[in-house]
């Protein structure tokens, strides 16, 4: 199975390696920023304007290799409109509970853990070494950065970013489009659009 990758920046590299680790191949890269040259041996095929032509050539599956949440959500919709499916990308070196629910386009990278009855929404991203404990929910296009930890029953709204190394205590809800800075410790509910950092986490200017 050959998979089209959208994005040729930094996140494309672990995505390419995760795809290969599953036994699939990468058909090539689309990126509107122009030709970046080969990325881990994968060729640039043009911009997103090529989606319809590539679908007509028989490519059927795409993975969005973009860390930015809003951009990942937008490109996912663009791919689906062109007739592509967005399979979950689950690195074989991740640990995922059989009772977890993984939606279309979600990604679980190497050494990440997704616990019992956790739910990852469409295009959610659990990055390298992150932990999603039992009964957590990640909304559409939410992003848990490398090494970040969600304790049990945490809820992330759509497009939330919990950055690298941050920790969220059990039962906390974080509203859509909020940002938790690297290394922060969150112990109370976070309203939509808020930006927090520090230990304990406080609003950022």
């Amino acid at each position: 199975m050959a998979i089209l990758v959208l994005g040729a920046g930094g996140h494309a590299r672990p995505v390419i390696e995760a795809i290969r680790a599953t036994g699939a191949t990468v058909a090539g890269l689309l990126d509107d920023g122009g030709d970046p040259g080969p990325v881990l041996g994968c060729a640039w095929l043009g911009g997103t304007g090529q989606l319809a032509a590539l679908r007509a050539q028989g490519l059927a599956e795409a993975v969005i290799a973009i860390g930015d949440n809003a951009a990942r959500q937008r490109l996912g919709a663009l791919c689906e409109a062109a007739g592509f499916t967005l399979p979950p990308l689950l690195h074989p070196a991740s640990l995922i509970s059989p009772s977890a629910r993984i939606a279309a386009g979600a990604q679980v990278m190497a050494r990440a853990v997704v616990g019992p009855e956790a739910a990852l929404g469409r295009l959610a991203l659990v990055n390298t070494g992150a932990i999603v404990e039992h009964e957590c929910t990640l909304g559409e296009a939410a992003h848990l950065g490398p090494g970040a930890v969600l304790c049990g029953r945490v809820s992330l709204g759509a497009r939330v970013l919990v950055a690298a190394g941050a920790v969220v205590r059990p039962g906390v809800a974080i509203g859509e489009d909020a940002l938790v800075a690297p290394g922060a410790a969150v112990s109370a509910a976070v309203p939509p659009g808020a930006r927090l950092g520090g230990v304990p986490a406080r609003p950022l200017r």
Side-chain angles (χ1 to χ4, degrees), residues 150-176:
L150 303 183
C151 297
R153 297 181 179 174
V154 171
S155 173
L156 305 186
R159 297 172 303 280
V160 167
L161 172 60
V162 177
V167 177
V168 183
R169 68 171 290 180
V172 168
I174 299 181
E176 65 180 25

Side-chain angles (χ1 to χ4, degrees), residues 4 8 16 54 74 141 145 175:
L4 182 67
I16 290 166
L54 291 168
R74 177 180 61 81

